[in-house]
Amino acid sequence: MIQEVDETRTTVRRPDAVVVGGGHAGVEAARALALMGQSCLLVSLRRDALGRMSCNPSIGGLAKGQLVRELDALGGLMGMIADRSALQFRLLNASKGPAVRSPRCQSDNVDYNARVVAELENTPGLEILEDEVVELIAEDGRIVGVDCARVGRIETRVVVLTTGTFLGGRLHVGDAVEIGGRVDEPAAHRLSASLLRHGFRLGRLKTGTPPRLHRDSIDFARMELQEGDASPTTFSYLPQPIIDRQIPCHITRTGPRTHAIIAANLERSAMYSGSISGRGPRYCPSIEDKIHRFAGRDSHQVFIEPESRSTPIYYPNGISTSLPAEVQEAFVRSIPGLEEVEILRHGYAVEYDYVDPTELDSRLMTRRLAGLFHAGQLNGTTGYEEAAAQGFMAGANAALWLRGEEPLVLGRHEAYIGVLIDDLVTRGVQEPYRMFTSLAEHRLLLRHDNADLRLAAAARRLGIAGPERLERSGTKRELLDRGRRLVAGRQRDGRTLDRLLRRQDARLDDHRDLLPELYEAPWDVEIRTLLETEVRYQGYVERQHELVAKMRKAETMAIPAELDYARVPQLRAEAREKLSAIRPRTIGQAARISGISQPDLSLVMIAIRRLEAGGSGETGRG
């Protein structure tokens, strides 16, 4: 529920947890805490902006779609809201192998935002306060409260920071700079100073957004039509209403004239004028970056995407920019179909503070202050999906910590969420982190179609997903097991169907006459497709599981918390410094820290054995 507060600066309440920031990370964290029985106060600069899509109005995409499905399997919010507010569904890489297929939807950003606000308003145990957190209050190495600009001190046992691009945010259009976390919204600067006073390592990163265009001024006839899928692949494992009419997107391209305009004005971009110090995302570069880095290319794709059914605003995906307004108008109107376009809002870059994520443990709790959790762009990531996944995990682990229970830490073989968090806390970031299928070494196991099966035990433990999701997951598993027995027991031309289906060109539908029961309720297309995939790739999946089992022997070798790396002779200074700072829980996690070598790991393993034998952990000299 939304709580109005008095303007007087005083301690107004003592919730179990305070979540700072109402973006995609914040709403998932606050909702998870409340649904796990903790009283939670969500503090946001603007309560009407909760869950707002400040950039691309889409959810999912390559590897990101897997994150959203995993989030939904655990009981998160994003998948449900995305399905209900969708404008168009597409399964990316549908013609490629199952490990790299990913669902994506174009969402109505007005409807999405409204649905998030309504969901949070009706979440028991959750209150929303419109204010700015300016100070973290700690005693004896533990968080005990926050100080707000309007209402003053709020005492609490847990704080989850999800500040997005608002922490020290500055907006850039050419040489014009203004303070803000996004257009027409203020930034939070005093909290950065508080983090520094507590000893946290801060850096600067950058992201950006393209200009927004008026629908009625776009010549769609000059562009390639991109329709949605006839059979939508949705995100939520709960049944959702499917939209009756999908809105098409369109594709156009930049050309030599566009590139010439940008190249002639490159030094006027905030990215190249020196006014921005933070690094931007390598895999989602501005149009200036594309022209500069790929000078040999004469064109780049631009996706023209609707933002809402209720507004005429279109989003030109692929031309994020911080060039001056007049330059933006010139190069945008050089693109086919946009010659007469009306620009409703110019693109801009936003530079913001982040905290080195290696300051966190695998729960996303900071090592400096017990009870303080970080999630989202504060940890150096980019993207709604990465933020939401972190927010959910931070909120869930904060609730478990308050209960005195073991944390939920997902392995790299269990979920993309596990890959994401492990990468952040062991490797840190040098640029905004974006999830890709290539980052997951076990991606054949982490498909979008089996997230509910992979995470059923974790979902059951947290208790957020609800009985319907868990029941549907259990039914799905039973049907798959029955289906495997059926295809293994039926033959055609002397060969069992499970062997026939391992050929790439074989389809389950080609053998419908032998398996009529698979085409009756409760079977459906989704389960038949999953069965076909699992049978076809059974050998590969089994080898992946064998590899995981071998790796986990080293992966799970625990490193005692009391191990003093300073007392491990012959350990290189760089290794000693990084291991002492990050404090990995296992040898496997230590192995993924940038700069840690195999000889370093061998010395650490010897020290562990000496500790377990009752020694000091010193390995001896010579």
Side-chain angles (χ1 to χ4, degrees), residues 355-579:
V355 178
D356 182 353
T358 62
E359 301 232 24
L360 307 172
D361 62 22
S362 296
R363 295 170 292 187
L364 297 178
M365 186 166 76
T366 70
R367 294 189 181 86
R368 293 183 187 274
L369 293 178
L372 177 63
F373 293 75
H374 290 179
Q377 285 178 285
L378 179 66
N379 289 339
T381 60
T382 183
Y384 309 142
E385 302 83 1
E386 291 88 343
Q390 292 173 73
F392 180 90
M393 294 299 289
N397 275 319
L400 293 171
W401 186 75
L402 285 168
R403 293 178 184 174
E405 298 178 17
E406 287 296 308
L408 175 63
V409 178
L410 298 173
R412 297 178 70 91
H413 65 290
E414 293 177 294
Y416 272 90
I417 294 175
V419 176
L420 166 66
I421 293 175
D422 187 64
D423 280 352
L424 292 175
V425 303
T426 59
R427 299 174 180 172
V429 298
Q430 287 74 48
E431 61 188 57
Y433 179 102
R434 179 179 179 180
M435 180 52 70
F436 285 99
T437 53
S438 59
L439 296 175
E441 58 269 39
H442 305 299
R443 55 187 170 272
L444 185 57
L445 305 180
L446 308 182
R447 306 186 310 274
H448 77 87
D449 59 6
N450 66 359
D452 56 337
L453 303 180
R454 289 186 275 118
L455 297 174
R460 192 172 295 110
R461 180 189 170 200
L462 294 180
I464 301 174
E468 186 177 358
R469 272 194 188 87
L470 295 175
E471 183 180 343
R472 291 171 68 86
S473 173
T475 300
K476 183 174 176 180
R477 188 178 298 278
E478 291 172 5
L479 290 172
L480 283 173
D481 290 342
R482 194 192 312 169
R484 290 191 192 95
R485 292 193 296 270
L486 286 171
V487 297
R490 306 285 169 89
Q491 292 188 2
R492 170 150 278 155
D493 300 327
R495 301 181 68 186
T496 58
L497 289 186
D498 60 341
R499 294 188 62 82
L500 289 172
L501 286 171
R502 289 173 193 172
R503 300 201 316 249
Q504 281 296 114
D505 60 343
R507 293 290 178 267
L508 191 61
D509 287 352
D510 297 336
H511 306 283
R512 181 169 181 167
D513 59 322
L514 291 180
L515 298 163
E517 52 266 79
L518 299 190
Y519 291 83
E520 300 173 357
W523 289 85
D524 58 24
V525 173
E526 180 186 358
I527 297 178
R528 285 195 297 273
T529 302
L530 177 56
L531 173 63
E532 183 179 290
T533 297
E534 296 213 338
V535 171
R536 173 168 297 133
Y537 294 95
Q538 180 179 347
Y540 296 99
V541 169
E542 288 174 352
R543 285 195 287 275
Q544 281 272 294
H545 281 299
E546 290 171 3
L547 178 61
V548 168
K550 290 178 182 178
M551 292 178 64
R552 282 183 63 77
K553 289 183 179 179
E555 173 76 26
T556 56
M557 183 177 183
I559 301 177
E562 65 270 23
L563 180 62
D564 184 357
Y565 294 104
R567 301 183 67 186
V568 181
Q570 300 179 334
L571 190 62
R572 295 178 307 114
E574 179 190 5
R576 184 176 291 116
E577 180 182 347
K578 288 185 174 180
L579 290 167

Side-chain angles (χ1 to χ4, degrees), residues 132-166:
E132 178 187 356
V133 171
V134 296
E135 186 73 46
L136 300 173
I137 306 170
E139 294 176 3
D140 301 322
R142 181 170 181 150
I143 201 79
V144 296
V146 296
D147 192 30
C148 294
R150 287 176 52 212
V151 305
R153 179 172 173 138
I154 298 173
E155 296 176 359
T156 187
R157 295 188 289 157
V158 153
V159 172
V160 184
L161 289 186
T162 66
T163 51
T165 60
F166 287 79

Side-chain angles (χ1 to χ4, degrees), residues 147-212:
D147 192 30
C148 294
R150 287 176 52 212
V151 305
R153 179 172 173 138
I154 298 173
E155 296 176 359
T156 187
R157 295 188 289 157
V158 153
V159 172
V160 184
L161 289 186
T162 66
T163 51
T165 60
F166 287 79
L167 198 65
R170 285 157 50 96
L171 309 180
H172 300 259
V173 180
D175 58 4
V177 181
E178 63 180 78
I179 303 300
R182 57 189 166 206
V183 69
D184 297 329
E185 295 188 38
H189 286 267
R190 286 176 282 183
L191 189 54
S192 290
S194 179
L195 285 163
L196 288 170
R197 281 193 294 273
H198 285 290
F200 288 97
R201 299 186 298 271
L202 271 64
R204 297 287 279 175
L205 291 175
K206 167 262 175 189
T207 187
T209 191
R212 301 304 198 270

Side-chain angles (χ1 to χ4, degrees), residues 13 45 82 89 92 111 158 163 174 192 199 242 244 246 261 290 298 325 343 357 437 498 516 529 533 564 570 616:
R13 55 179 66 80
L45 293 171
F89 291 99
L92 306 186
D111 189 33
V158 153
T163 51
S192 290
I242 302 301
D244 296 327
Q246 299 190 56
I261 294 169
K290 291 179 184 178
D298 58 6
I343 295 180
T437 53
D498 60 341
T529 302
T533 297
D564 184 357
Q570 300 179 334
S616 65

Side-chain angles (χ1 to χ4, degrees), residues 569-618:
Q570 300 179 334
L571 190 62
R572 295 178 307 114
E574 179 190 5
R576 184 176 291 116
E577 180 182 347
K578 288 185 174 180
L579 290 167
S580 297
I582 296 173
R583 304 298 308 179
R585 296 178 302 109
T586 65
I587 287 294
Q589 189 180 16
R592 292 188 291 277
I593 299 173
S594 175
I596 301 300
S597 67
Q598 189 59 49
D600 297 328
L601 296 173
S602 297
L603 290 169
V604 173
M605 291 169 76
I606 293 170
I608 292 171
R609 293 190 185 104
R610 289 180 65 85
L611 264 179
E612 291 173 343
S616 65
E618 294 187 44

